Each structure stands twice: as structure tokens, then as C-alpha cells.
Amino acid sequence: MLHSRLLRYLDEVARSGSIRAAGEKLHIAPSAINKHLLQLEEEIGEQLFERLPRGLRLTAAGEILLAHVRRTMLEYRQVEAEIRDLKTMAKGEVIIATLTGLASGIASAAAASFGAQHPHIKITIRVMFMREIHDALVNGDADLGLSFNLPPSPQLECLWEMDTTLGAVLAPMHPLARMESVPLAYCTPYPLIFADRSMLMHGIVADTFAEAGLPCEPAFSTNSIETMKRLAANGDGIAFLSKFDIAEEYRQETLVYRQIRDRAFSKNVLSLVRRAKREHGLASLLLAEEIMGVLRATSGG
């Protein structure tokens, strides 16, 4: 690091309160440290330390410079750690905990792109229920979590978040697919495909139909996003999912997503999270960036 020796001298003198004590700690002659400090004060044009009978005390200018020095030293240590991580990128594993629909779409797309760039990093995608994703991250059983409607937790750090409104998911040849947006009442003549009551999504959809005064007895009910998508793709049924749930099917044009025109479903927040207050390897950080890139591309933002 440029001027790293001088930065260490300044930091240690401030900590020790004397040039002699700093010299003993650094195994450097006090005269050499004093020479460098005097040169620095001359360059800056300000006195950095008050010379007192019993040691040194930082001046206001010295405190400003020391704060900068310590930030610089911390950032340099972080850079060193990232460079060391680069040397170990040839191996390792990153574990993503996510939901079924996201696993086959967003997570797999990001993993495939990342794997092409880093073929020796193992990517593990684990499908879990929402409540299990939180525990997996906190317990260290997963590095990243991608899920809808995760409850707030001080143990998790949010990297990306967006309200992903539910809409009508249809086969491309469905009669309603020709519309740019679909009134909720237009859905009721067709077989409705609902998430079952174990999923938060069920309440979001059922409550919206109830508030609109519309019958909403589903023809199909399942706790599997994949099953919901398959049912919609293979018939004239309508599922209610976000565009992130069907990212891969939308790209392949096997399903379409249409907003509900006259009714707003309640929030359906998609989050990418990781465990808070924990050192994260470079591989997981780079994979998180890859996932966020896919999320932004899917959202159109």
C-alpha cells in the first residue's frame, strides 16, 4: 500500500501517546518515526501532534488525518482479503436457499451464468419453505436466501427487495392472453389455480377476490409453484403468480403474465438476503451480484 509505513507510524503514535512507545511497538527507531512525522507535518502545513512534557496529543488536524488513515487501513485490509479470496475462487461452494418457482427460474439462470464464469465453484440450490430459509441462513446452512414475504429479522441483511405484484398467469393461447391487462371478474369463468392455504399467497389472492365480491372456488389447489405453472401451461386455467415465478417460462414463451386491471393484490415482496454481521466469501458476493442482475433484468429495471 502506498505510504503504508507512514500510516502505521501515525496510527501507532496516536495509540501509544509517544514516539518512543510507538517505536518499541513497531521495532523502529524513534528518531526515524519522528523524522517521518515532521516531514508529513511540513507537507500538510499543519501540526498533527502537540508535544507535551509527558507525550503527544493529536491536534484537530491530526484527528482529521488519523480518521482518514484508519479508514484507509481498514479498506486496504478488506482489499487484501478480497485478493486472497480470488486465489481460492478455484474451489468452494455457495448455497442458495429459495422457493420452488424461484429455484427453476431466477436462481437457476443466475447459477448457470455464474457457473460459466467460475466453473470450479459448486452452486447448490436448495428448495425450502419460507420459514426454513430464515433458519438456514442464520444457522449457516445457506449463504444466500431468495424468497417472497420474508418476515423482518435483525439476523438477516437485505441485498435486494422489490414488491412483485401478483398477476394472471396464462397459456399463450388462452383467450385472455390477448388482453394487455385483465379485469379480475374476467378470470372467474375459467378454472382458477390457487396456492393452498399453507402458502401466504393463498390469502393474498383469496382476500382480493372476496373484497371484489367475486366467487373464487379454485378448481386446483397446490403448495407447488411448479404444479401451478404446469396446470396453467397445459389448459385454460389461470394461476396467480408474479413475473419472477415464471421468469424462465416467460422467456421460453410457454406462459404469459398479465396484470390485473381493476384490483391490486396486496404486497408480495421478493427479497435477496444473507446473514447479517458475518464475513462473506467473494464467491457468494459475486453470485449475489449475478442474482441481482437477473432480478433487475426480469423486473425491467
Side-chain angles (χ1 to χ4, degrees), residues 23-182:
E24 293 176 355
K25 184 76 176 291
L26 297 172
H27 305 291
I28 302 294
S31 59
I33 295 176
N34 189 51
K35 177 183 176 182
H36 283 291
L37 291 181
L38 290 173
Q39 289 175 343
L40 180 60
E41 287 180 325
E42 184 176 351
E43 287 179 19
I44 293 176
E46 292 285 347
Q47 187 176 350
L48 301 177
F49 291 94
E50 294 181 48
R51 273 69 175 178
L52 304 174
R54 294 187 178 182
L56 302 179
R57 182 171 63 195
L58 282 167
T59 63
E63 289 178 353
I64 292 172
L65 180 60
L66 182 63
H68 167 72
V69 164
R70 288 175 175 168
R71 286 196 303 270
T72 300
M73 293 174 71
L74 175 60
E75 290 172 1
Y76 182 68
R77 287 194 293 271
Q78 292 171 341
V79 169
E80 285 185 314
E82 290 182 8
I83 292 173
R84 286 195 301 272
D85 277 346
L86 279 175
K87 296 177 181 178
T88 63
M89 280 283 285
K91 58 183 180 179
E93 179 183 18
V94 183
I95 302 172
I96 310 169
T98 189
L99 306 172
T100 55
L102 298 172
S104 62
I106 300 294
S108 61
S113 176
F114 180 86
Q117 301 171 62
H118 307 286
H120 300 294
I121 300 293
K122 179 182 178 183
I123 306 298
T124 298
I125 301 175
R126 292 182 178 163
V127 173
M128 301 180 178
F129 290 110
M130 182 180 66
R131 60 183 177 275
E132 296 173 325
I133 293 173
H134 173 276
D135 294 341
L137 290 166
V138 171
N139 296 334
D141 295 327
D143 301 293
L144 299 170
L146 183 64
S147 178
F148 292 103
N149 304 313
L150 283 169
S153 170
Q155 296 172 295
L156 299 183
E157 175 189 2
C158 184
L159 302 174
W160 188 94
E161 184 176 85
M162 184 177 182
D163 181 12
T164 59
T165 305
L166 297 177
V169 169
L170 320 154
M173 300 306 295
H174 194 286
L176 298 185
R178 294 191 294 268
M179 305 178 72
E180 292 185 5
S181 60
V182 179

Side-chain angles (χ1 to χ4, degrees), residues 17 20 213 269:
R20 182 176 298 278
V269 178

Side-chain angles (χ1 to χ4, degrees), residues 215-249:
C216 64
E217 186 63 35
F220 304 98
S221 180
T222 176
N223 66 348
S224 167
I225 301 293
E226 290 302 309
T227 302
M228 294 174 70
K229 294 191 291 186
R230 184 65 62 88
L231 288 167
N234 292 336
D236 59 354
I238 302 175
F240 298 92
L241 301 167
S242 79
K243 65 171 64 174
F244 293 89
D245 288 308
I246 64 162
E248 186 62 17
E249 292 81 7

